[in-house]
Amino acid sequence: MNQQDQLTTVGSLPNRTPSTGPLPATLTRVVWLLWVAALGVLGLRVATGESWSLAGVIAVDGLTVVMWVAVTFFSGIVHSYSRRYLAAHDRVDRFFATVFGFTLVVLALVAADHIALFALAWVAMGLLMAELIGHVEGWPQAQAAASLARRYFLASGGLLAVALAVLWSATGTTTVSGIAAAADTIPQTMWLVAAGTLLLAAMIQSALVPFHTWLLASMTAPTPASALMHAGFVNAGGVLLVRFAPVISVDAGFMLLVVAVGAASALGGKLLKSVQADIKSQLGCSTVGQMGFMIMQAGLGFFGAAITHLVLHGFYKAYQFLSAGEAVDQTSPTDTGHAPDSLGAVGFVVTVLTALAGGVLFAVLTGKGTSLDSGLLLALLVVLTTLHATRNALAQTSVPLSARYGLIPLVFLPAITLYAAAYNAIAGVMSGTMLVSAPAELTVVHGLVAAAFGVAYIAIETGLYQRSQRLYVALLNATQPPASTVLTSTEDYNEY
């Protein structure tokens, strides 16, 4: 389609109901009713502390309830947003049916106790997400991206099937809860195969480095589908490791491997994001890094922290994708305004003191980081995250300097308090029926990971890493999806 054939519309869409069928509205109402029902189940869980099961098929425990509430809420937002976003789209019913089916499958996955149901839900979840990635019919790049994602998801499902088959053979039980109870009795070789394939399945599903290519190629998905993907689907790796926490935590050495894998992706995602020019690719690389943090928290033995991270990240990333259009600014080429590179001595002191206070506050409120164990590394992550966010806020805000330094602690310390409260609440709901916290003794590996984060923070904040052209090219190459999934002609965008 050339420019002469285009019809350019300026301004908001007409305020009228599009000519679509009743399915989108019906499914949207059903999802919000499911969210209300999930809140009711959460209330019962908090009030009674009870868990419910059905003949070894499903088990409604703390993790199930937390995920039910989060999944139905995110899905409700996506359904509501999509009614406007896909107004009068020729495949709107198919899109809503797929998103609703995806929601039901995830609800089944987090409640599944029978390993066959768990495996089937895992595979179905991936196939439905691949369908959403390739939703636009007749778009070759979308179909290529969907095909790539489908291969990754089937590989993840195959690895999970191997793990579950080995665990079934080793324990003689076909339930996740039974496997968890017998985790200590699994022979070493069989355990190593099961734990290794579980970790690989989680890495693929959560798009950790080096399996992040499918995620960066998935930008062909409609924006609501991307929001659902980044807010929910990629979190499945964390859910998998938490659900099988008694298995992977049998060996301290394997937990160190999980920490290293998560840390590599957390650092890699941050570096990959730094070379991206478009907003959706930046968000994709951010997800790679955030999923690394989630897996790392599981490796540190704080499974409740991993679930808290995925829930809060889901809120953040859903908002970021659904509001991505607001990130497009029109600026003048002569505009030379930019954030200052140096904050000065006072700014440096404020950032450091606020970050340290944030780490201490988190440790006091959660009890993590008050002993000589892996909790110290968790508290260090809070310090570095606060340090980075505080420095950015000080450098970019337009508030006068006289007020800026006083407002920063007043903003970030309450935010850390809320994070700690969310962590305590989610861990409290999960406790009683599953492994929530299993801190490990500090090792040299923990020290190396902490040092790597410190060096990476200094390199990024000072811009030192930007001085290497070789590093820049390597990072740029690492973020390039297959050519078949990328549009190279401007006219192609007009078609789809």
Side-chain angles (χ1 to χ4, degrees):
M1 181 183 294
N2 56 38
Q3 288 186 331
Q4 285 79 8
D5 296 328
Q6 283 185 261
L7 177 62
T8 303
T9 302
V10 179
S12 60
L13 290 173
N15 188 18
R16 61 183 176 83
T17 303
S19 57
T20 56
L23 188 64
T26 301
L27 294 182
T28 301
R29 295 187 181 97
V30 171
V31 169
W32 282 117
L33 288 175
L34 288 174
W35 179 64
V36 173
L39 287 177
V41 178
L42 175 62
L44 288 175
R45 169 71 182 180
V46 173
T48 66
E50 295 291 330
S51 297
W52 305 273
S53 61
L54 178 61
V57 178
I58 64 172
V60 182
D61 56 13
L63 176 61
T64 301
V65 172
V66 169
M67 294 306 302
W68 275 0
V69 173
V71 168
T72 51
F73 180 79
F74 295 141
S75 181
I77 293 295
V78 169
H79 275 77
S80 298
Y81 182 94
S82 299
R83 290 184 62 190
R84 174 76 170 175
Y85 184 87
L86 294 172
H89 192 280
D90 58 353
R91 303 183 77 202
V92 62
D93 285 351
R94 183 182 181 91
F95 178 85
F96 272 86
T98 306
V99 171
F100 184 75
F102 175 85
T103 303
L104 295 181
V105 166
V106 175
L107 295 180
L109 173 73
V110 297
D113 193 34
H114 197 285
I115 58 175
L117 177 60
F118 192 95
L120 287 174
W122 184 272
V123 173
M125 177 179 63
L127 294 179
L128 288 171
M129 182 51 66
E131 172 69 19
L132 290 174
I133 292 173
H135 172 73
V136 182
E137 192 173 22
W139 185 4
Q141 288 81 3
Q143 303 311 313
S147 178
L148 175 68
R150 192 175 295 112
R151 292 195 296 271
Y152 271 91
F153 301 154
L154 289 176
S156 175
L159 289 166
L160 177 63
V162 170
L164 295 179
V166 171
L167 292 172
W168 173 27
S169 175
T171 62
T173 179
T174 58
T175 62
V176 176
S177 55
I179 290 171
D184 292 336
T185 66
I186 301 174
Q188 180 67 21
T189 301
M190 300 182 76
W191 170 86
L192 185 59
V193 172
T197 48
L198 284 174
L199 178 58
L200 286 172
M203 291 175 64
I204 293 174
Q205 210 80 354
S206 291
L208 266 62
V209 175
F211 304 113
H212 61 288
T213 307
W214 74 260
L215 184 67
L216 299 184
S218 69
M219 302 307 169
T220 57
T223 294
S226 293
L228 190 64
M229 182 194 314
H230 289 257
F233 178 80
V234 294
N235 293 322
V239 173
L240 177 63
L241 294 186
V242 172
R243 183 58 81 190
F244 288 90
V247 175
I248 67 170
S249 61
V250 166
D251 184 79
F254 186 80
M255 291 290 278
L256 290 177
L257 175 61
V258 177
V259 170
V261 164
S265 194
L267 295 173
K270 178 64 177 177
L271 291 172
L272 294 175
K273 179 184 175 182
S274 68
V275 300
Q276 297 305 304
D278 66 279
I279 183 63
K280 290 189 74 172
S281 294
Q282 289 178 5
L283 291 174
C285 292
S286 170
T287 295
V288 173
Q290 292 298 324
M291 291 301 97
F293 276 115
M294 176 187 68
I295 298 298
M296 182 179 171
Q297 288 170 332
L300 291 173
F302 299 110
F303 301 102
I307 297 300
T308 304
H309 186 93
L310 72 85
V311 170
L312 297 181
H313 173 262
F315 279 103
Y316 171 75
K317 202 51 66 74
Y319 168 77
Q320 288 291 312
F321 266 97
L322 296 181
S323 63
E326 299 177 4
V328 180
D329 296 328
Q330 183 177 7
T331 58
S332 171
T334 60
D335 183 11
T336 58
H338 61 278
D341 294 329
S342 176
L343 299 175
V346 177
F348 176 78
V349 171
V350 170
T351 56
V352 171
L353 290 181
T354 301
L356 292 176
V360 171
L361 183 62
F362 174 80
V364 170
L365 293 177
T366 64
K368 312 306 177 187
T370 57
S371 303
L372 292 176
D373 55 27
S374 56
L376 284 175
L377 190 52
L378 186 63
L380 175 64
L381 294 178
V382 174
V383 171
L384 289 177
T385 301
T386 307
L387 195 62
H388 176 70
T390 304
R391 184 187 185 281
N392 285 345
L394 281 172
Q396 296 174 8
T397 184
S398 58
V399 176
L401 282 175
S402 57
R404 194 182 307 179
Y405 299 137
L407 288 175
I408 289 297
L410 294 179
V411 171
F412 284 96
L413 295 184
I416 293 173
T417 301
L418 291 176
Y419 169 65
Y423 171 60
N424 289 334
I426 290 175
V429 173
M430 291 173 55
S431 63
T433 56
M434 60 183 307
L435 185 61
V436 177
S437 180
E441 295 183 0
L442 288 177
T443 67
V444 175
V445 174
H446 293 114
L448 292 175
V449 169
F453 272 94
V455 171
Y457 173 81
I458 294 173
I460 291 173
E461 295 298 334
T462 60
L464 186 63
Y465 74 102
Q466 295 176 336
R467 299 179 184 177
S468 172
Q469 294 183 357
R470 187 182 299 274
L471 177 60
Y472 174 82
V473 172
L475 292 173
L476 197 61
N477 288 338
T479 60
Q480 297 304 305
S484 60
T485 68
V486 180
L487 290 174
T488 57
S489 173
T490 304
E491 286 74 15
D492 288 340
Y493 284 98
N494 297 331
E495 288 288 343
Y496 306 110

